Amino acid sequence: MTSKEYYEKIYKILGAYTPIMEDCGKLCGSACCEGEEDTGMYLFPGEKHLYNKEKGWLKIIKSDFEYSDGKFADILVCKSSCPRDKRPLSCRIFPLLPYVNEYGEVSVKLDPRGKSVCPIVKADLMEELNSEFVKRVLKIGKIMMHSCANAEFLFNLSRLTDEYDL
């Protein structure tokens, strides 16, 4: 299976489900979708290949987040509004994170890195989220654990987020 096929499968599982039943951008003025020159969202391993031919609205930069020996995550930075159907997985699942504990068990939690932009994270409103959205993010996390690169990525991303207070 190619990276494109893999991520299309993952994106399809999430489908049109969103964190809340209405446009959550109304809560924050679409703060998480405002492109800034130095901020963006991590691309999961292999996801970069979906954006190699894209122009204009994005750029891809290397991060300092090393998720495996010598492998650093890429960050997709939107220079303007991105086409909704082109969003990377990190944007599609925000404000959630498939969290992997030290035993390799997957759960879903609010991504504490979103506290500065997301009222849902700031107020710790996990129980207010669309339950089907939460279930699908969990399913995606469990599927991703079958890929060594994604399992390493999620495990180390989880350790990174352990450093943030919610």
Side-chain angles (χ1 to χ4, degrees):
M1 179 180 301
T2 67
S3 290
K4 183 176 194 253
E5 293 167 335
Y6 179 82
Y7 283 102
E8 284 174 349
K9 175 184 171 184
I10 296 292
Y11 299 161
K12 189 174 182 174
I13 290 168
L14 193 57
Y17 289 95
T18 57
I20 59 175
M21 296 303 225
E22 53 201 68
D23 180 359
C24 66
K26 291 178 182 176
L27 298 175
C28 64
S30 299
C32 65
C33 294
E34 292 299 315
E36 292 186 27
E37 192 62 30
D38 59 350
T39 60
M41 297 296 271
Y42 286 134
L43 293 173
F44 282 79
E47 197 176 19
K48 177 181 178 178
H49 301 296
L50 288 118
Y51 298 99
N52 284 342
K53 296 189 179 10
E54 298 297 332
K55 303 276 191 252
W57 61 273
L58 66 81
K59 74 176 179 178
I60 296 173
I61 58 175
K62 278 277 185 231
S63 75
D64 59 0
F65 169 50
E66 185 176 7
Y67 66 91
S68 185
D69 286 337
K71 293 181 182 176
F72 291 84
D74 291 302
I75 297 175
L76 185 142
V77 178
C78 293
K79 296 189 217 174
S80 63
S81 295
C82 69
R84 190 159 176 82
D85 66 327
K86 300 282 187 189
R87 294 172 300 147
L89 184 58
S90 291
C91 292
R92 293 169 193 251
I93 63 175
F94 188 80
L96 296 180
L97 172 71
Y99 181 84
V100 181
N101 70 18
E102 61 273 9
Y103 304 107
E105 300 163 329
V106 182
S107 61
V108 175
K109 73 175 208 171
L110 290 169
D111 190 334
R113 297 169 300 157
K115 191 174 184 179
S116 64
V117 295
C118 181
I120 294 168
V121 177
K122 188 173 187 172
D124 195 15
L125 297 175
M126 181 75 165
E127 69 281 353
E128 300 292 322
L129 295 180
N130 175 348
S131 63
E132 190 59 34
F133 176 75
V134 175
K135 285 181 204 171
R136 288 172 183 254
V137 172
L138 178 60
K139 182 175 182 177
I140 287 168
K142 288 180 176 181
I143 289 170
M144 295 185 94
M145 291 301 288
H146 295 285
S147 155
C148 290
N150 279 321
E152 269 189 301
F153 183 87
L154 285 174
F155 181 82
N156 288 306
L157 183 60
S158 297
R159 300 297 69 76
L160 177 69
T161 62
D162 286 343
E163 299 174 14
Y164 290 76
D165 289 329
L166 191 59

